[in-house]
Amino acid sequence: MKRFAGKAALITGGAGVLGRGCALRLAAEGAGVVIADLHEGGAQAVAAEIGGEAIAVRADVTSPEDCQAMVLAALERFGRLDVVFANAGVGGEKVEFLHMPMEEWDRVMGVNLRGLALTCKAAVPAMIDAGGSIVLMGSSTGGWDSILGAGPYMTSKEAVKAMARNLALELARYRIRVNAVCPGIIETPLSFRQASDDPAAWERFFARFAERIPLRRVGQPEDVAATVAFLASDDARHITGASLLIDGGQTLQSWSNAPDGAYPSE
């Protein structure tokens, strides 16, 4: 039995590696999916990969109008909205606080916090009658560890945990659950921030990182997709306000042990 049969899901940042993985997983379990992304071509490619039960929408999550439009697209196509995966986010530039332009702070906060807030503000009215699940991507291991030169990113990630708890409390009366997923290092191009097209360099980087993770493996996009699908489903019907780590035990150790150039995934 498909857990999301007859339901509709909205995924922001849906053209990225993690957004795509979650879109494929939810669609495979029966959901109609709206792929929202600032990069319209990428969103269309993911929607085409899924097929008839997916549509693509260009959306800038820092724009209230765009957030309203992507929710409206879900309602027009599927007649409902049951699941929101607020996944859009940015990692930010690696620069120490004293030398950081405030424009960089505003940019990161604008996407990682304002973007999540606007997404939820637009989606909740469409979910009130039937209830549903909101999953926030933004509380990665950056909310547990400290990384030199990542002040805006780290602050935004820590704040998302508080956002998940607050929204969970406020929206419980409408049977809307709110949780956050918290990935550690995931094998994506954004994690490998070194200027190299050498596949061997990619493999060496992640192999070195795996040595520093208790479970001795680097996370895969499928690991995130499985966790999002769980939290979005009725299997997690009594879970709300949680921030769930997906890190193989990474946060049991210090980021100071990470390979040079490592940075959290988005």
Side-chain angles (χ1 to χ4, degrees):
M1 179 172 141
K2 295 185 176 182
R3 292 186 292 182
F4 300 102
K7 295 187 177 182
L10 167 65
I11 299 176
T12 66
V17 174
L18 299 185
R20 170 186 172 274
C22 290
L24 292 174
R25 176 64 183 258
L26 294 178
E29 294 204 42
V33 183
V34 177
I35 312 297
D37 202 287
L38 185 61
H39 305 289
E40 187 174 10
Q44 291 174 341
V46 175
E49 188 176 359
I50 292 171
E53 289 304 303
I55 61 172
V57 177
R58 184 194 178 280
D60 177 354
V61 295
T62 67
S63 162
E65 294 78 16
D66 281 10
C67 289
Q68 292 289 344
M70 65 188 182
V71 171
L72 181 60
L75 296 177
E76 289 179 344
R77 174 63 179 84
F78 302 110
R80 59 189 298 153
L81 181 60
D82 305 278
V83 174
V84 174
F85 179 33
N87 169 63
V90 293
E93 297 298 324
K94 196 169 184 180
V95 56
E96 292 190 14
F97 183 80
L98 290 179
H99 305 292
M100 178 194 67
M102 287 310 296
E103 291 79 8
E104 173 64 7
W105 178 277
D106 292 341
R107 184 183 73 87
V108 174
M109 294 298 170
V111 178
N112 291 357
L113 289 180
R114 175 183 168 87
L116 264 64
L118 288 174
T119 296
C120 294
K121 196 170 180 64
V124 165
M127 303 172 72
I128 283 177
D129 288 342
S133 175
I134 296 172
V135 182
L136 306 179
M137 169 67 84
S139 186
S140 79
T141 50
W144 274 268
D145 282 317
S146 295
I147 308 170
L148 286 174
Y153 176 86
M154 298 285 296
T155 304
S156 69
K157 296 307 182 183
E158 184 69 13
V160 170
K161 293 194 296 180
M163 182 185 292
R165 290 174 59 83
N166 181 259
L167 287 178
L169 182 61
E170 290 196 13
L171 300 181
R173 72 189 74 177
Y174 305 118
R175 294 175 295 116
I176 299 173
R177 298 181 297 105
V178 184
N179 296 288
V181 289
C182 316
I185 191 76
I186 304 295
E187 191 171 340
T188 71
L190 281 178
S191 295
F192 185 59
R193 292 192 164 202
Q194 298 177 354
S196 173
D197 295 325
D198 181 8
W202 172 288
E203 292 179 7
R204 287 194 300 271
F205 174 82
F206 287 112
R208 287 166 55 213
F209 216 120
E211 292 174 359
R212 294 160 170 84
I213 296 175
L215 289 185
R216 295 296 185 267
R217 63 183 292 271
V218 171
Q220 301 298 313
E222 293 81 4
D223 298 320
V224 177
T227 306
V228 171
F230 165 68
L231 288 174
S233 76
D234 288 341
D235 290 339
R237 65 185 182 183
H238 207 55
I239 301 175
T240 194
S243 293
L244 188 57
L245 282 166
I246 314 168
D247 72 345
Q250 177 181 316
T251 48
L252 301 175
Q253 303 188 100
S254 171
W255 266 94
S256 62
N257 292 325
D260 294 339
Y263 207 56
S265 303
E266 282 297 346

